[in-house]
Amino acid sequence: MPPAIALSEDILINVTPFETRVAQVEQGSVQELHVERSIQRGHVGNIYLGRVVRVLPGMQSAFVDIGLERAAFIHIADLRENRGERSQGLTPTPIEKLLFEGQTIMVQVVKDPLGTKGARLSTQISMAGRMLVYLPHDPHIGISQKIDDESERIQLRERLQALMPAEEKGGFIVRTQAEGANDEELTADLEYLRKLWTSVQAAARTQPAPALLHQDLTLAQRVLRDMVGPNTGTILVDSRTTSAAMLEWARIYTPSVVGRIQHYSGERPLFDTANVDDEIARALSRRVDLKSGGYLIIDQTEALTTVDVNTGGFVGGRNFDDTIFKTNLEAAQAIARQLRLRNLGGIVILDFIDMEEQEHRETVLAELKKALSRDRTRMTVNGFTQLGLVEMTRKRTRDSLAHQLCEPCPMCEARGNVRTPRTVCYEILREILREARQFNPKEFRILASQEVVDLFLEEESQHLAMLGDFVGKRISLEVEGAYSQEQYDIILV
């Protein structure tokens, strides 16, 4: 039993018929948020029998119909046959010689559809268990890089080789959770994964393409497989049905976790007990306030995510350099937390406040890497560039929290800003001028927001009167309360 002080992480699971939400809380502070909606359940890890619909030799890629809304995408680098050739230093066989239109292939989703892009596929199938990842087509034993004790790595590899059946043609990757596992636990995981693969193969022989052969675990089950660790305290679930299903799953695959799963039946909503909904609202905001008075500005685009650090109202410390250094140290911890909280992936550019001293830069970078070490997602962090930026990457397999819960603003058309009332006024004046050349109404009636009408009545009244004289028609104004600042109509009376 680990010391009580280590059990600082609790997992809260809120279940409704339409959505499952998971919050990982560490010492009262939310560190991770996961959302899975019934109609938007992710496809990563799912195995399909697909049909090739188009081969693109110029891009060395192909589109594959797996039954989703958009055709999925596979690149030559994700074909199993090509990986074997590359490992031997041979020239890869062109994709047009490996795939053809109408061909049936077994594929696995490695990236969910993002925006207008279809799912990314691979023929290198892998199936994750609690402690092992099964590679049915790759006779190789790998060890998680997070197990850094070399003697432990050698021992795990030798133990697994001894446990594997003689007829086994596939391979395994030993996950971090296997550190300290006994032979019975490893054997149970090994047998579970081999049975799972047998059922997938049987389904592939009997079902026509496109077909779903294997679906990845639900979010609640993935919590038990991926999130629970030695520091996990209580797993609270506010659904009796889901907690019972999790207990049943845990008894088979993660028996050590059974005692931590509890059904929450309190009167207060489960997420209210840790202010999780407030944390979700903050995680959707551009600005993140720091305790010192500084703040972060986080902007997410399709290409990358940028994080800008600002001192704000923080003027503490003996001098300005000290203020900057302390703000950057606090920002490093906050950035690591926000990346997990928002599930931000891909390229991330960090713009810390400029520091003159090399020692300060090295300390901030070390603090950032230390804070990021608590994140299970694979990432790379580079040092400061000549421009004073830190470049890093964080593996992206599912949509970020913002992409899951938000959509582009219909008012500003996802620009992040709106046209000023004056800009809208001038647009209306130009539109009236265009229509006056085509039509001959008695009157032009402008329907617009209060802000635009007020401007026409005050600062732009002279321009409106001049246009009325020029076109020789009466121009009237009417406030439409339901209109946004950019909306307007011109009625020909």
Side-chain angles (χ1 to χ4, degrees):
M1 178 76 179
I5 194 169
L7 297 178
S8 58
E9 297 176 359
D10 290 327
I11 296 176
L12 314 182
I13 303 178
N14 166 234
V15 182
T16 60
F18 47 85
E19 182 180 63
T20 299
R21 302 186 300 170
V22 174
Q24 183 174 326
V25 181
E26 184 178 323
Q27 296 178 342
S29 176
V30 180
Q31 300 296 321
E32 284 188 35
L33 287 166
H34 300 270
V35 178
E36 182 176 84
R37 290 176 172 169
S38 302
I39 62 171
Q40 296 176 332
R41 189 171 170 191
H43 306 286
V44 171
N46 289 359
I47 301 173
Y48 294 87
L49 194 63
R51 180 182 294 110
V52 178
V53 293
R54 190 178 177 193
V55 179
L56 306 172
M59 296 177 62
Q60 284 298 289
S61 305
F63 288 107
V64 182
D65 178 15
I66 58 174
L68 301 183
E69 183 180 350
R70 289 189 298 272
F73 175 85
I74 190 165
H75 187 264
I76 183 70
D78 295 314
L79 287 173
R80 192 173 69 252
E81 298 84 351
N82 176 52
R83 289 190 176 189
E85 292 174 341
R86 286 200 304 172
S87 64
Q88 299 173 34
L90 303 174
T91 303
T93 304
I95 197 167
E96 61 269 27
K97 293 188 177 180
L98 296 173
L99 300 180
F100 57 85
E101 290 185 15
Q103 180 180 354
T104 298
I105 58 171
M106 186 188 293
V107 290
Q108 185 170 39
V109 176
V110 293
K111 277 190 180 180
D112 269 327
L114 289 173
T116 58
K117 300 175 183 177
R120 178 89 180 245
L121 305 177
S122 173
T123 57
Q124 183 70 31
I125 307 296
S126 65
M127 306 177 77
R130 167 68 176 170
M131 299 175 189
L132 304 172
V133 176
Y134 184 39
L135 307 173
H137 299 125
D138 186 0
H140 162 76
I141 294 180
I143 309 293
S144 168
Q145 293 181 350
K146 290 192 175 182
I147 301 177
D148 48 17
D149 186 326
E150 189 58 35
S151 61
E152 175 78 3
R153 294 171 66 88
I154 294 171
Q155 186 185 53
L156 279 169
R157 180 178 280 107
E158 291 175 347
R159 286 170 58 200
L160 185 58
Q161 284 174 332
L163 295 171
M164 286 169 57
E167 70 276 11
E168 178 59 65
K169 296 181 180 179
F172 293 88
I173 295 173
V174 180
R175 305 184 71 190
T176 312
Q177 289 92 329
E179 199 167 11
N182 57 41
D183 286 354
E184 290 75 15
E185 291 172 319
L186 291 174
T187 301
D189 217 32
L190 190 150
E191 290 178 352
Y192 158 69
L193 290 169
R194 294 184 79 236
K195 286 178 184 176
L196 205 57
W197 174 238
T198 300
S199 68
V200 169
Q201 289 178 302
R205 287 192 292 268
T206 57
Q207 297 189 45
L212 174 63
L213 305 178
H214 165 71
Q215 190 169 30
D216 197 23
L217 301 177
T218 65
L219 177 56
Q221 291 168 329
R222 292 200 306 273
V223 166
L224 299 178
R225 187 189 71 186
D226 300 332
M227 293 179 65
V228 177
N231 293 341
T232 302
T234 306
I235 304 167
L236 290 175
V237 191
D238 63 6
S239 162
R240 194 176 299 277
T241 303
T242 302
S243 62
M246 290 177 69
L247 280 167
E248 184 179 350
W249 194 90
R251 287 190 185 101
I252 300 172
Y253 304 115
T254 58
S256 62
V257 177
V258 169
R260 304 181 196 179
I261 302 171
Q262 296 180 16
H263 173 239
Y264 174 78
S265 56
E267 291 187 7
R268 286 184 69 195
L270 177 59
F271 270 25
D272 283 5
T273 62
N275 299 316
V276 178
D277 286 317
D278 292 340
E279 199 65 64
I280 291 174
R282 284 193 286 268
L284 299 176
S285 171
R286 287 181 70 224
R287 176 169 171 147
V288 178
D289 291 318
L290 304 176
K291 291 180 181 178
S292 64
Y295 61 93
L296 311 177
I297 295 293
I298 301 175
D299 286 310
Q300 185 182 358
T301 69
E302 190 170 344
L304 50 81
T305 297
T306 61
V307 183
D308 184 31
V309 183
N310 298 276
T311 54
F314 181 39
V315 292
R318 291 165 295 179
N319 54 52
F320 191 55
D321 286 346
D322 189 46
T323 298
I324 290 172
F325 177 51
K326 289 185 176 179
T327 303
N328 282 338
L329 279 176
E330 185 183 1
Q333 296 178 2
I335 288 168
R337 177 171 176 258
Q338 289 298 321
L339 293 179
R340 291 176 67 190
L341 198 60
R342 298 168 187 244
N343 194 26
L344 296 172
I347 300 171
V348 183
I349 305 297
L350 311 178
D351 186 5
F352 287 101
I353 308 166
D354 290 341
M355 293 172 285
E356 296 292 334
E357 296 186 28
Q358 179 65 25
E359 183 183 350
H360 284 179
R361 287 196 292 270
E362 291 174 357
T363 304
V364 168
L365 194 63
E367 184 67 26
L368 174 67
K369 290 180 178 178
K370 178 183 175 183
L372 291 171
S373 66
R374 295 192 288 270
D375 195 334
R376 291 184 303 275
T377 305
R378 190 172 74 244
M379 62 186 76
T380 60
V381 181
N382 297 324
F384 283 89
T385 67
Q386 290 184 335
L387 295 176
L389 306 173
V390 174
E391 300 171 353
M392 62 171 291
T393 62
R394 186 173 185 270
K395 186 179 179 183
R396 175 168 54 194
T397 55
R398 289 184 172 86
D399 273 344
S400 68
L401 189 68
H403 282 167
Q404 284 182 289
L405 304 183
C406 303
E407 65 180 6
C409 171
M411 300 301 182
C412 71
E413 298 175 351
R415 298 190 309 271
N417 48 50
V418 295
R419 294 192 292 276
T420 65
R422 194 178 307 278
T423 301
V424 177
C425 283
Y426 294 165
E427 192 174 311
I428 291 172
L429 296 178
R430 286 192 297 270
E431 184 64 28
I432 290 175
L433 189 58
R434 276 194 295 270
E435 294 192 4
R437 290 169 178 163
Q438 301 178 54
F439 306 103
N440 187 30
K442 292 181 180 180
E443 175 188 335
F444 290 98
R445 182 176 301 159
I446 300 171
L447 271 64
S449 67
Q450 185 71 59
E451 295 86 355
V452 171
V453 170
D454 286 347
L455 202 59
F456 269 134
L457 291 173
E458 297 167 0
E459 297 175 35
E460 297 300 331
S461 58
Q462 185 178 357
H463 288 144
L464 187 65
M466 289 172 60
L467 180 64
D469 292 342
F470 182 79
V471 300
K473 305 293 179 183
R474 182 172 180 269
I475 302 176
S476 62
L477 299 166
E478 184 177 328
V479 174
E480 179 54 68
Y483 281 10
S484 73
Q485 188 168 289
E486 292 190 327
Q487 286 180 295
Y488 66 86
D489 279 311
I490 300 171
I491 308 298
L492 307 183
V493 181

